[in-house]
Amino acid sequence: MQSANMLLKKIVRSSVLPVAAQHGMKRDLFPLSRTLSLSLCLKQDNSCKPSEKLDLDAWKKVMKSGLQEEVSETVSEPQELSGLAAARETLEMWRLAGKSVPENVSEEQLKTFMECPSKSAKKKYLKYLYLKELYKKNDKRKMEEKRERRLEAQEQTSKTDEIQKSPFLCLWASTMDKAYNWRAAQSMIFGQPLVFDMSYEKDMSVREVANAVKQLVQSEGCNRRAVDPFHIHFCNFKDDSLYHKEFLKHYKEAWGKLLITVTEQCYTEIFPKDKLIYLTADSPKVMKTFDHDKIYIVGSMVDKSIKTGVSLARAKRLGLETAALPLDKYLLWNTGAKNLTLDQMMHILLTLKDTADWKKALEFVPKRKYCGFVNKPVSELKKTLDLVNTLKIGKRREELQKQFAKNYPKKYKLK
Amino acid sequence: IQPPEKPLQSEEWNRLRENFQLPEIFEEVMLNSMIRCNSPIDVAKSLLTHVAKRNGDIAYNVLVKYLTLCVQQGQVSEICDVYDIMKARFKILEIGAYNLFIKGLSNSDQWKMALTLLEEAKKMMIPSRTSYESCIKAASCHQEMKLAFELYHEMLAKDVVPTLDVLQSFFGFSRGMNGAELQKELFGILFYLRDNQIYPHKTFMQSIKLWFESIPGRKWRGRLTNIKDSGQCPVCNRQLEDSNLTEEEYNNLSERIIRDVIHGTDTFRKTSPQEFEAFQTFVENQLPFDIVIDGLNVSHIKPRKMHCENLLDAINCLAKDNVRLLVLGRKHMLINSSNWKREIMKEMQTKADFFFAENISEDDAFLLYATLRSGKHCKFVTRDFLRDHKACLSDSLTRHLFRKWQRGHQIVLKAMFFSVFSQQPAFQYDCVVQTTGDTWHIPYKDVFEEKYSYRVPRKWLCIQQK
């Protein structure tokens, strides 16, 4: 260290240093303006520099020393790992590396992970699991917070208030259930049928089927709560299909008690063909009014990759009438596909059935997909737009002709 | 946050950490910004030391970040140290760390270690293409061409697509080297370009040219040129391969078009079996056509003109010298409307054969079928790139065939001033890397990026043996 200091001092005195300083040496290390204070500064450095110098690789020692005991354990362990364990190990390392990987992975999930065909598919699946875990955790935390707040509130009220008297027993949930079920039962006898076509399992991935079933569960729920519910039919429904498995996951033992019709038959076998209308976004025909005598069919399909014309093909094959919602007529469409989720369809159809008001019904189209409602029909708007455009183009054409004449004056004269 | 310029003491790091909003991720954020600013490695070391002192351990992701910094600055001995530490501390490493190690070590004299690491990484997952490429470059840089080619073939076998950069490096590093084996491998790369219809860019082309010219005793000579529309090379006067498919390829393609594009998963999606059958009998009775026209596409060429007028113009423009035309359209064209006048439709039907599909059917599929059925001489007219139909074909080989056939048979009409049409004719010759044994013709792109995938280069490298 001493010799190093000497060297530094020499360098400082020699004429090379100003150049070196220009090349980016730190001024606070070598305050050149005051050569007198330099020696003092170096002395101060002397006090702290050695420790700093030693420090730089200290982390390696710490890491290595911490290992000694562990290493002796791990080395004796046999290195061979089975496929699943190795996969679990990889996941753990990815999690340590800060990738979106869930903390807890079940055996089943691990197997799906290993079956993913590509690296990106694996990453996607892990991210999905990670987000799912995150949402679950957040929900749990919120629930706990809520419980604590409730307990606090209860303590406060129990101190101050006595029990209030009321003419009704507090039995809201179960009585409502009964009322809903009564209505649903009525709909099974007198209600207008609404068919969900369950024949799309082949066209969907496992995730898509799961999503479709989730949407169906939601639509069934909102139908049950409606004033005048539909009589829901699940047609082309096969036992032991993926659909069935997913439904059992959601409903558990309630699946057998649902007030809907589930059948393996096709809708064409149950209802007269001329009464059926297949609802599909690809249909060239646009629905004008809701017909209470018709039976509408909705394909239970979630289509994340764009497969156009699948449900239209099905309707074509059976020779059924098709219709699409008049989205373009009433909404200024912004972004997104025109196919809606099953529960949105359910809401729209229920509202149409009750009110026949398109504006009210189409409130259920997600807000992000459209800019606003149209007062005038879109066709008229388009006409004015076309007019504006033709005027613009007409002007442009004149300009072009002028330019052309300018560029080729001779040719024009020759003509 | 701005990383400090020189190593800090633990107390100073502590102070910085406390002032940071989220102290838990302070180290990560700090190292990230060090990577961004390319800070001196000593600063990062002092941070690690501080962390080690405080926690007695350093987390995996922090180590990986540090490793990234080392790789960025090519600190080989540090990389080796980090490897030893990580290997001892963790049972296995993840693929990201392996990629970093391989990248860092392949540029140094420790490059053999990168190869062993590649072997280790293979046990877990398919290594990334950058890993393969840095190993290949390291091997060929040290004149181990055999090893480099082994890795290259392994890469291809695992469906990892090499970049043009690594292919170029093969030519660059083999310059002046002799050997039949090596030559065979490099020709193999040229055939790879041919099979996948890849066009090298200008610098890559230069490497190829220089390699050819450097082969001792063979006297290859390369010249840059433009190929004439007739398909003749102005340098060596040879005719390039024509754009026609072979009999087998042709049959294969027509079969696949019918199977994948028209029928697909469900015939009803694009047409219906009855309609397709009707179309088939119609085509068989009228065969063969010379030009098949996509009526609706052509009728929209000039937006301010009536649709049927556009179509009539196009038909008049194409109907010379007794060519037989087939126009495909939809039934709605037959209904008298502002855009489709009945008289004009009648006039057109005297000049060409028409087939009207259902309004919800796809006429493009019929276009392809009719053209392919008519034979190799038949061309078709549409401005559509037919990308969605190409996408229906299930394997890349057939997709390449389709592209080649499309280049040779598609005529594009362009609307010019007033009522003049100009046609962009189909290519006479095939635009791929090609050889006759004593010549090579290699098309190349002027710029590095390929702006339009459908556009083929017009510039060529002609290499011939003197």
Side-chain angles (χ1 to χ4, degrees), chain A residues 23-80:
Chain A
H23 282 276
M25 270 205 186
K26 295 294 159 271
R27 259 161 205 282
D28 43 10
L29 255 176
F30 303 103
L32 292 171
S33 49
R34 289 180 292 161
T35 27
L36 269 178
S37 66
L38 185 68
S39 58
L40 193 93
C41 171
L42 278 173
K43 260 181 204 165
Q44 275 180 344
D45 268 3
N46 228 351
S47 59
C48 67
K49 254 249 153 96
S51 62
E52 200 174 296
K53 273 260 164 172
L54 281 175
D55 268 348
L56 284 180
D57 283 333
W59 62 275
K60 289 181 191 169
K61 276 176 210 147
V62 173
M63 288 301 284
K64 277 174 189 164
S65 69
L67 291 167
Q68 292 308 320
E69 317 101 57
E70 283 179 45
V71 167
S72 53
E73 286 167 29
T74 47
V75 164
S76 57
E77 225 175 279
Q79 276 287 299
E80 277 168 53

Side-chain angles (χ1 to χ4, degrees), chain B residues 426-455:
Chain B
F427 271 99
Q428 299 267 321
Y429 58 94
D430 190 18
C431 188
V432 286
V433 175
Q434 46 194 278
T435 180
T436 58
D438 58 345
T439 59
W440 279 89
H441 285 94
I442 298 164
Y444 67 94
K445 291 177 291 187
D446 238 347
V447 277
F448 183 70
E449 292 111 289
E450 189 173 46
K451 207 163 185 189
Y452 305 102
S453 62
Y454 58 87
R455 197 168 272 178

Side-chain angles (χ1 to χ4, degrees), chain B residues 167-168 171-172 175 190 193 200-201 203-214 442 461 463:
Chain B
L167 298 181
Q168 183 186 347
F171 285 94
R175 202 172 297 157
L190 290 176
L193 296 182
H201 48 83
T203 48
F204 186 6
M205 179 276 295
Q206 288 291 354
S207 303
I208 297 174
K209 182 168 174 279
L210 289 175
W211 174 74
F212 266 106
E213 287 169 349
S214 77
I442 298 164
L461 168 67
I463 302 172

Side-chain angles (χ1 to χ4, degrees), chain B residues 257-318:
Chain B
I257 292 272
I258 294 174
R259 202 186 77 197
D260 292 347
V261 179
I262 297 176
H263 292 304
T265 52
D266 187 351
T267 316
F268 284 95
R269 273 174 78 171
K270 289 194 171 152
T271 167
S272 66
Q274 295 91 328
E275 189 183 30
F276 186 56
E277 210 170 288
F279 178 68
Q280 268 179 317
T281 45
F282 167 82
V283 171
E284 298 304 324
N285 290 336
Q286 309 285 323
L287 276 178
F289 298 103
D290 298 309
I291 298 176
V292 183
I293 303 169
D294 183 349
L296 282 170
N297 188 295
V298 166
S299 69
H300 285 83
I301 281 189
K302 289 185 200 167
R304 300 204 316 109
K305 255 192 160 180
M306 235 194 293
H307 292 167
C308 59
E309 273 183 339
N310 273 330
L311 188 55
L312 182 65
D313 284 349
I315 288 173
N316 284 336
C317 164
L318 292 166

